[in-house]
Amino acid sequence: YKYINSAILLLDIISLRRKYKDKYLLALIKKYEQLLLYPDQDFINKVFEHDIKVIDSKYNLIAKDVRYKELKTKPLIVHYAGSVKPWNDNVSRFDREFIEPYYEVLRLQNKKEKLEKILKNHEFYGYNN
């Protein structure tokens, strides 16, 4: 049995609904809510422990557990659990190959927001007529 995190889950909803009734799950949540440190994860791990199948870590690699350059295969999904984030990790565990696309998305989003603000100002002042 391995404790899993709840960042990436693939659920067989039909099977789970057959096996576990809503009222039963809600009663368990209410009963143990004060004992759960990470409520969603702890609950999933305890209640579904016999139904959990762990998949390859390339689908949910936890960043703080490894150094990116030491990996034999590249992950498809990197989970920045806890305080380890690419934007505040001074001694980054991940090289530019993985971090740069993230920053490019942020740059593009920032440019888009600035452009939208400019266009709204132009519209407000009647420059687009």
Side-chain angles (χ1 to χ4, degrees):
Y1 170 69
K2 181 179 179 183
Y3 185 90
I4 61 154
N5 67 64
S6 60
I8 305 294
L9 299 173
L10 177 61
L11 302 171
D12 181 350
I13 296 295
I14 294 169
S15 294
L16 289 173
R17 285 181 177 155
R18 269 192 226 121
K19 190 170 183 177
Y20 303 96
K21 300 302 174 203
D22 294 351
K23 288 181 182 180
Y24 169 74
L25 295 174
L26 291 171
L28 284 177
I29 290 171
K30 190 73 174 159
K31 181 177 180 179
Y32 295 110
E33 67 183 331
Q34 297 302 317
L35 300 174
L36 304 174
L37 180 60
Y38 303 107
D40 56 335
Q41 285 182 188
D42 292 345
F43 187 79
I44 290 167
N45 278 275
K46 184 59 184 160
V47 174
F48 306 120
E49 73 180 293
H50 300 293
D51 297 311
I52 293 173
K53 291 179 179 69
V54 178
I55 60 173
D56 192 293
S57 64
K58 73 180 180 182
Y59 297 105
N60 186 21
L61 181 77
I62 298 179
K64 68 180 181 175
D65 293 345
V66 297
R67 291 178 120 12
Y68 183 75
K69 292 178 184 179
E70 296 169 4
L71 296 174
K72 290 179 178 56
T73 59
K74 302 299 182 209
L76 297 174
I77 300 171
V78 174
H79 177 187
Y80 295 101
S83 63
V84 178
K85 309 285 189 230
W87 53 90
N88 67 9
D89 185 9
N90 292 334
V91 185
S92 183
R93 292 159 181 82
F94 302 93
D95 59 15
R96 292 181 65 98
E97 175 187 352
F98 202 80
I99 294 174
E100 192 56 36
Y102 170 80
Y103 283 114
E104 185 59 26
V105 168
L106 286 181
R107 280 192 287 278
L108 291 172
Q109 182 63 34
N110 192 26
K111 286 179 184 177
K112 179 184 174 208
E113 289 170 2
K114 285 181 180 177
L115 180 59
E116 287 172 348
K117 186 176 180 181
I118 290 169
L119 290 173
K120 281 184 183 180
N121 282 340
H122 278 236
E123 187 177 314
F124 178 78
Y125 290 109
Y127 296 143
N128 293 348
N129 295 336

